[in-house]
Amino acid sequence: MATLRTFLRRHLLWVGFLAVVIPLLVLLGVQYQSLKELERTSPLARRAMLTNYLQAVVKEIETIYRMDAERVLNIPPETCSEERIHRVSYHFKKKLSCGARELFVMLFAPNGESRTFFYDATDRGMKLRSDCPQARAVTLACTPWRLVRLQNAGVETTTLSFSDHDPQNPIILNPIVDEASRVIGVAGMIVDVAHFQDKVLPRVIQETLARSFSNNEGENLIVMAYDSSGRKVYTSQPSEGRGEVVWLSLPFVFEKWRLGIQSRDETPEQWARRYMMINLSLSVLMTIMLIGGIVLALRTASREMKLSQMKTDFVSNVSHELRTPLASIRVFGELLKMGRVTQPDKVAEYGQYIETESQRLTQLINNILDFSKIESGQKTYHFELTDLTELVSETLKTVEVQLKQRGFSIDFQRPHEPLPPALIDPQAIAQALMNLLDNAVKYSGSARQIHVRVGHIKAEATVSVTDHGLGIPREEQTKIFERFHRVSTGLVHDVKGSGLGLSIVKHIVEAHRGRVTVESELGKGSTFTIHLPLQPASRQP
Ligand code: ADP
């Protein structure tokens, strides 16, 4: 249990990452499966959707013609004699229908004879007609009812019927029945095919299209109608579609007409595949974005954790760094105060210790103060034309004595030819050099030789510090310039430090538009080089 807890704590970020990513991937897998299933069933749904649309059109057309016929053809039975036929014309005049080309009434005599009166809209009267194509179509359409009349049988219910024997003259019929439920005549209308084809059909198709589909979808669909002779009488778009056509017959008097619908450029299967690909791509994209977000968040969290750990180490390291010189200063100070040391050379030696340790303290505190200024963006530089070689030489002089006392020998090499004065902040560059020297001393191990060289490569002045100490592993060589970063492996682990020195060097050098590089081999030593641009004074920072 305890091992598990330790494992979880140590790998907290990975555990968190996996805890989010695994369910996400499972979810993606499940979604893929359901999208596949949807892709299989979608074509059926698509076809059903297109059929539904056609059914809606058919229903609308049927409603229009049924309602019109019921309204116009409902003739009162008492008008069914030649003497009262003018009352029918009055009825037709009142209920005029625009879907009808002709309105008529056929009256049956008890012996089965029939006479057909057509409504004449110009003089608003009923005219007897028998030898025109319309009259013949009417006679044919009414034959079943005449037979019913001949048999003198009563009818239980009367409903609208239709006849499409003559495609030019489709007819809707409504039987007229007396009180004894006998059929005494038939009222009817010859449907105006041109009006249906040019007005009613396009209007119903377009209105239903707009109701059933979104604009985009509607534009991608082609609706067409064929009349009873198989002639295309309507298409919603001039172009030819590529998808499979779904068919349905028109209703009622237009039973032999056919209505078809198809996609302009894809079959239901292609449509389903496209939607599946869009959905899948969106899901994958969102998953990638989510994982990306999580990785970023975890990286930030990991950095923060590392930084927080580094800060903790920093506090403990700095405390140690402060405590050691302070302890030495106190001990030597007490010895001098109590007068225990009388020999002049010992007094000088102890005084030298106190001075050296104070210098170390000053440098450490300077570094901490500089670091805090850099972090808050308040570090300022005062550039002046300076002889770089002289600056390095002066800086070395301040540490020479104490380094010699610790057994170090410094080899200082000046450039072959004098460098032009550089526009730099002398104090800052001296501080950077001190940090490099301090590191060279700290990480020299048993080696005691340090080389300092001033030179120039092309338009750059260089100051390099070389030691023959512990060296730095290759993978650490870029990280050591990060604030608080300390190599935690090998012998270096035993040397105390704050982890600020090199980050300050880097900041100072970059403020001079220069760079700091390192060449190092583990166990053999390191060379840190400050490169400063040597440019005409006017172009200096
Ligand atoms: P520190 O106070 O730890 O020396 P620095 O920022 O000066 O902080 O250095 C960062 C790390 O780089 C050091 O902890 C050390 O591991 C490594 N380092 C710096 N200079 C040298 C060197 N001359 N030789 C070996 N390692 C070095």
Side-chain angles (χ1 to χ4, degrees):
M1 195 63 194
T3 354
L4 181 69
R5 221 175 293 142
T6 327
F7 175 84
L8 285 179
R9 203 173 319 124
R10 240 190 241 154
H11 301 95
L12 191 66
L13 291 180
W14 274 109
V15 173
F17 178 70
L18 293 179
V20 179
V21 169
I22 291 174
L24 250 177
L25 292 179
V26 171
L27 217 72
L28 193 66
V30 171
Q31 189 166 9
Y32 176 73
Q33 283 303 328
S34 42
L35 281 175
K36 272 297 237 196
E37 181 60 20
L38 203 68
E39 188 195 359
R40 200 180 59 73
T41 51
S42 287
L44 303 176
R46 177 76 171 165
R47 274 188 205 103
M49 204 162 91
L50 298 180
T51 310
N52 275 350
Y53 163 75
L54 294 182
Q55 280 167 347
V57 174
V58 164
K59 200 160 167 227
E60 176 81 14
I61 290 173
E62 180 164 2
T63 310
I64 291 172
Y65 278 88
R66 223 173 243 289
M67 278 172 57
D68 201 29
E70 272 166 7
R71 191 175 55 84
V72 181
L73 304 181
N74 212 351
I75 304 289
E78 62 274 13
T79 58
C80 284
S81 66
E82 284 196 35
E83 303 80 62
R84 295 185 186 164
I85 196 74
H86 65 277
R87 290 214 199 162
V88 178
S89 67
Y90 181 67
H91 171 87
F92 280 153
K93 193 177 84 186
K94 261 198 334 195
K95 315 238 160 157
L96 217 64
S97 151
C98 51
R101 190 151 52 90
E102 303 254 22
L103 294 169
F104 66 87
V105 171
M106 178 180 270
L107 299 181
F108 299 138
N111 62 2
E113 272 186 24
S114 62
R115 290 157 80 79
T116 310
F117 296 89
F118 283 87
Y119 175 65
D120 187 339
T122 25
D123 68 0
R124 293 172 182 175
M126 299 300 288
K127 292 254 169 74
L128 197 60
R129 254 163 49 195
S130 59
D131 56 352
C132 58
Q134 288 88 337
R136 280 194 288 278
V138 168
T139 310
L140 192 64
C142 294
T143 304
W145 291 115
R146 217 176 52 223
L147 291 176
V148 174
R149 173 63 180 148
L150 265 177
Q151 286 161 4
N152 212 10
V155 284
E156 277 176 17
T157 52
T158 57
T159 49
L160 290 177
S161 60
F162 63 89
S163 159
D164 56 359
H165 296 302
D166 180 352
Q168 301 307 313
N169 299 300
I171 298 170
I172 302 174
L173 303 162
N174 192 26
I176 307 166
V177 179
D178 66 7
E179 315 82 66
S181 299
R182 278 175 317 198
V183 178
I184 55 172
V186 176
M189 61 161 74
I190 299 177
V191 173
D192 186 345
V193 177
H195 176 76
F196 170 69
Q197 186 180 304
D198 300 339
K199 300 265 162 51
V200 181
L201 189 62
R203 178 174 57 81
V204 174
I205 285 177
Q206 286 303 338
E207 282 176 4
T208 319
L209 206 58
R211 255 201 323 270
S212 311
F213 300 99
S214 68
N215 264 0
N216 274 355
E217 253 185 321
E219 275 166 22
N220 195 33
L221 291 171
I222 303 177
V223 186
M224 56 225 143
Y226 290 81
D227 68 7
S228 51
S229 63
R231 191 171 54 94
K232 194 189 247 184
V233 290
Y234 173 80
T235 177
S236 62
Q237 289 191 35
S239 56
E240 282 294 314
R242 279 202 273 144
E244 164 202 26
V245 185
V246 178
W247 294 104
L248 201 69
S249 292
L250 281 181
F252 207 35
V253 72
F254 304 106
E255 216 174 36
K256 290 191 184 130
W257 291 47
R258 282 194 315 153
L259 200 59
I261 185 166
Q262 71 178 149
S263 287
R264 201 169 46 188
D265 20 59
E266 52 192 1
T267 62
E269 281 73 16
Q270 286 168 331
W271 175 85
R273 176 135 207 96
R274 186 162 59 85
Y275 270 80
M276 136 115 179
M277 288 320 286
I278 291 175
N279 275 331
L280 199 66
S281 319
L282 277 179
S283 303
V284 170
L285 194 77
M286 275 170 65
T287 311
I288 291 174
M289 280 168 72
L290 261 171
I291 292 181
I294 292 165
V295 168
L296 272 181
L298 289 181
R299 247 182 72 174
T300 315
S302 147
R303 276 204 190 145
E304 287 304 314
M305 279 167 74
K306 222 168 121 189
L307 201 67
S308 143
Q309 182 58 44
M310 283 172 162
K311 280 183 181 164
T312 316
D313 292 350
F314 166 76
V315 172
S316 101
N317 288 341
V318 166
S319 317
H320 184 276
E321 288 268 279
L322 288 173
R323 214 180 305 125
T324 320
L326 276 177
S328 317
I329 291 171
R330 202 181 60 228
V331 170
F332 290 124
E334 272 173 12
L335 285 176
L336 291 175
K337 184 183 84 182
M338 289 189 292
R340 294 242 182 102
V341 188
T342 47
Q343 291 135 321
D345 54 337
K346 276 284 171 199
V347 172
E349 188 188 331
Y350 287 5
Q352 180 66 50
Y353 270 126
I354 292 176
E355 193 192 337
T356 310
E357 294 301 281
S358 315
Q359 263 176 9
R360 268 185 69 193
L361 272 181
T362 311
Q363 198 187 336
L364 179 65
I365 287 165
N366 278 348
N367 270 350
I368 294 173
L369 289 177
D370 269 352
F371 176 74
S372 108
K373 276 190 193 161
I374 288 169
E375 285 287 284
S376 61
Q378 286 171 355
K379 172 91 180 152
T380 50
Y381 294 93
H382 306 284
F383 295 95
E384 52 192 73
L385 282 172
T386 312
D387 184 336
L388 190 62
T389 318
E390 273 320 297
L391 177 73
V392 173
S393 158
E394 289 302 316
T395 312
L396 287 179
K397 272 186 199 146
T398 60
V399 290
E400 213 169 14
V401 181
Q402 47 156 311
L403 289 187
K404 266 194 186 141
Q405 277 175 354
R406 291 169 70 182
F408 283 93
S409 79
I410 297 186
D411 162 42
F412 176 43
Q413 278 185 24
R414 291 167 181 272
H416 299 304
E417 35 192 87
L419 295 180
L423 191 62
I424 54 173
D425 179 333
Q427 265 187 4
I429 295 293
Q431 192 190 352
L433 177 62
M434 287 293 279
N435 281 348
L436 293 184
L437 283 170
D438 191 39
N439 282 350
V441 171
K442 276 199 298 191
Y443 303 108
S444 262
S446 54
R448 284 293 174 266
Q449 182 79 37
I450 292 172
H451 304 271
V452 178
R453 284 190 194 90
V454 177
H456 75 97
I457 308 169
K458 293 185 184 161
E460 279 180 342
T462 55
V463 180
S464 59
V465 178
T466 305
D467 65 67
H468 303 284
L470 310 177
I472 305 161
R474 183 163 290 277
E475 64 279 6
E476 295 278 352
Q477 288 179 10
T478 48
K479 295 185 195 159
I480 51 174
F481 294 99
E482 288 169 17
R483 57 204 176 143
F484 304 127
H485 188 89
R486 307 198 69 227
V487 179
S488 52
T489 51
L491 293 171
V492 186
H493 193 59
D494 305 331
V495 183
K496 286 286 168 193
S498 60
L500 295 183
L502 286 183
S503 74
I504 293 173
V505 173
K506 184 166 180 259
H507 189 275
I508 292 175
V509 174
E510 283 177 357
H512 286 75
R513 296 205 185 139
R515 63 205 161 90
V516 53
T517 54
V518 59
E519 283 166 55
S520 182
E521 203 175 326
L522 210 56
K524 293 206 172 152
S526 319
T527 299
F528 284 85
T529 309
I530 292 174
H531 302 252
L532 294 171
L534 272 180
Q535 287 170 351
S538 59
R539 291 182 56 198
Q540 291 283 340

